Amino acid sequence: MEQDSHCTAERELLEAVSRITTSSTTSPSDEEENEPKAEISCQVRKENPEKDDMQDSSATLSPNSSMTTKELQEYWRNEKRQCKQIKLLFEIPSTRIVEHHLSKYVMYKIIILQTGSFDSNKSIIERRYSDFEKLHRNLMEEFSEELEDVTFPKKTLTGNFTEEIINERKLAFKDYLRLLYSMKYIRRSKKFIDFLTRPELQEAYGCLRGGQYTKALEILLEVIGLQERLTRGNPVAIVPTLCAIVVCHKDLENPASAFEYGEKALSRLCVHTSHRYYMPLLETMIALAYELGKDFLSLQEKLEEWKTKKDPIRVFTLKELAVREYVR
């Protein structure tokens, strides 16, 4: 009886896993179902972002699977994790009034959360009304049709610093960001991503150029997670940030950490060997591997292979490239 019960449990678990696997490959995601219809007109745009990175499992289980119940449970958990798309939520819990010389403005604290994650995956940034206004103006240049029904909070001649107006704008900006993120082509646009990450990156690179590597590293590590989640369809986009982290760790004499982030950057360039960061990164990784006593022959072979394919031109070092990023 106990054996029959065990077999029945395994059979039910197999059927459940089979249903999850089938649904993950045939059913549209909640995100696609909830896409605003205005996005249909975006299909003819010049830009061609990659498809959503929903990781559908190609593995299937046969009814005669030899997996144990424990293995099946672990398989089921992995399937659910793979089918789950990363989505971001935006909250604006508080504000602060800034008075600087002759100017006075409100800073809105924006908390960006990843669905189904712990607090460690949240990002916190601050933006003022003029930042939102500039974003909207820039997006209207490219996405006027998608945004034609979007109401943007207008400036008022008086009362901008009253609690009532500030609270109204908090709610309005929260809904505005949520709406923008719900539109595939807008959330993948450089203008939207820059709004959420560029000010922090500019500050970090400014610190790097000034030799403030600890401060630069602190900011870069804060922003890299958000930048990565925003550019999931374009992994090469975060290579400069990863390389800046490598530079900071290297100059702070943390070769092991520098090598770790260098490997992450290099993995994103494996099919993009013409990228401007590829050769300088290889050279840096060879030096780090030698310092750490790691095997660097494969890296050296890649570097020699690259040199045979390219004309001998002036190539910057990794640090020289990093300090040139975000120079106004």
Side-chain angles (χ1 to χ4, degrees):
M1 181 72 70
E2 182 179 350
Q3 184 176 3
D4 291 343
S5 175
H6 181 71
C7 291
T8 301
E10 285 197 4
R11 186 164 57 253
E12 290 176 352
L13 192 54
L14 274 169
E15 291 173 355
V17 171
S18 179
R19 286 197 297 274
I20 284 193
T21 305
T22 303
S23 65
S24 71
T25 56
T26 58
S27 300
S29 66
D30 292 340
E31 182 178 359
E32 295 302 325
E33 288 178 350
N34 295 331
E35 289 285 358
K37 294 182 179 179
E39 286 198 28
I40 296 175
S41 63
C42 294
Q43 301 298 328
V44 296
R45 288 193 172 277
K46 288 187 290 184
E47 63 172 311
N48 184 27
E50 298 178 22
K51 295 179 180 179
D52 283 350
D53 296 316
M54 183 174 181
Q55 300 176 5
D56 294 332
S57 172
S58 59
T60 56
L61 292 178
S62 69
N64 299 319
S65 172
S66 60
M67 285 184 176
T68 65
T69 302
K70 183 177 181 181
E71 289 172 336
L72 284 168
Q73 289 172 338
E74 181 61 28
Y75 176 87
W76 193 1
R77 281 194 291 269
N78 289 334
E79 282 295 303
K80 290 170 71 177
R81 280 197 293 266
Q82 288 178 339
C83 294
K84 194 171 187 177
Q85 272 191 310
I86 291 178
K87 296 182 183 179
L88 300 181
L89 303 175
F90 299 88
E91 298 290 340
I92 304 181
S94 62
T95 61
R96 63 187 179 95
I97 296 176
V98 178
E99 295 190 53
H100 184 66
H101 297 306
L102 299 178
S103 64
K104 183 179 179 181
Y105 52 87
V106 179
M107 293 294 288
Y108 296 84
K109 181 179 180 180
I110 305 169
I111 298 179
I112 306 164
L113 298 162
Q114 179 179 314
T115 55
S117 68
F118 297 103
D119 286 346
S120 60
N121 284 320
K122 72 180 179 183
S123 299
I124 301 175
I125 60 176
E126 283 189 316
R127 296 294 182 267
R128 54 189 291 188
Y129 179 93
S130 59
D131 296 324
F132 281 98
E133 188 178 41
K134 181 180 178 182
L135 169 66
H136 188 70
R137 186 169 60 250
N138 289 340
L139 290 177
M140 285 295 290
E141 294 175 358
E142 188 176 355
F143 304 102
S144 58
E145 184 178 343
E146 289 79 3
L147 298 174
E148 62 182 355
D149 295 326
V150 176
T151 302
F152 187 82
K154 290 184 170 56
K155 279 186 176 179
T156 58
L157 294 177
T158 59
N160 286 302
F161 302 101
T162 64
E163 185 177 354
E164 182 182 2
I165 293 295
I166 290 174
N167 286 334
E168 284 180 3
R169 286 182 176 173
K170 277 170 55 178
L171 294 174
F173 286 145
K174 173 186 172 180
D175 290 341
Y176 178 68
L177 291 173
R178 179 190 57 78
L179 180 61
L180 294 183
Y181 185 77
S182 73
M183 301 183 198
K184 185 196 307 181
Y185 289 90
I186 290 182
R187 72 170 173 264
R188 292 179 177 178
S189 70
K190 185 177 184 301
K191 294 172 182 178
F192 181 67
I193 294 171
D194 278 353
F195 169 79
L196 296 172
T197 61
R198 189 178 180 89
E200 286 72 25
L201 287 172
Q202 285 179 326
E203 181 184 0
Y205 279 97
C207 292
L208 192 156
R209 284 189 289 274
Q212 301 175 30
Y213 302 114
T214 301
K215 179 63 174 177
L217 183 60
E218 179 184 331
I219 300 171
L220 290 168
L221 291 176
E222 282 285 330
V223 76
I224 187 67
L226 174 59
Q227 193 182 21
E228 186 169 16
R229 292 194 293 273
L230 288 167
T231 60
R232 292 182 71 235
N234 182 20
V236 177
I238 67 168
V239 166
T241 307
L242 288 171
C243 288
I245 293 174
V246 171
V247 170
C248 289
H249 274 305
K250 189 171 183 296
D251 279 32
L252 290 170
E253 299 183 358
N254 299 324
S257 296
F259 191 85
E260 176 189 348
Y261 280 92
E263 284 186 315
K264 292 179 181 179
L266 205 55
S267 69
R268 287 163 170 78
L269 295 178
C270 58
V271 293
H272 300 279
T273 58
S274 61
H275 196 281
R276 70 188 188 281
Y277 272 89
Y278 184 69
M279 182 179 175
L281 179 59
L282 274 178
E283 291 178 331
T284 300
M285 290 295 285
I286 291 170
L288 288 169
Y290 181 79
E291 182 180 353
L292 294 167
K294 295 179 178 289
D295 179 23
F296 58 85
L297 291 180
S298 60
L299 294 170
Q300 188 70 48
E301 288 173 359
K302 290 178 181 178
L303 182 61
E304 295 302 325
E305 181 183 357
W306 186 93
K307 287 181 177 179
T308 60
K309 293 179 180 179
K310 299 292 181 180
D311 295 329
I313 57 174
R314 163 78 167 122
V315 177
F316 294 109
T317 66
L318 195 68
K319 187 172 183 177
E320 287 173 337
L321 278 179
V323 298
R324 282 168 169 75
E325 294 284 345
Y326 293 95
V327 175
R328 295 183 182 181

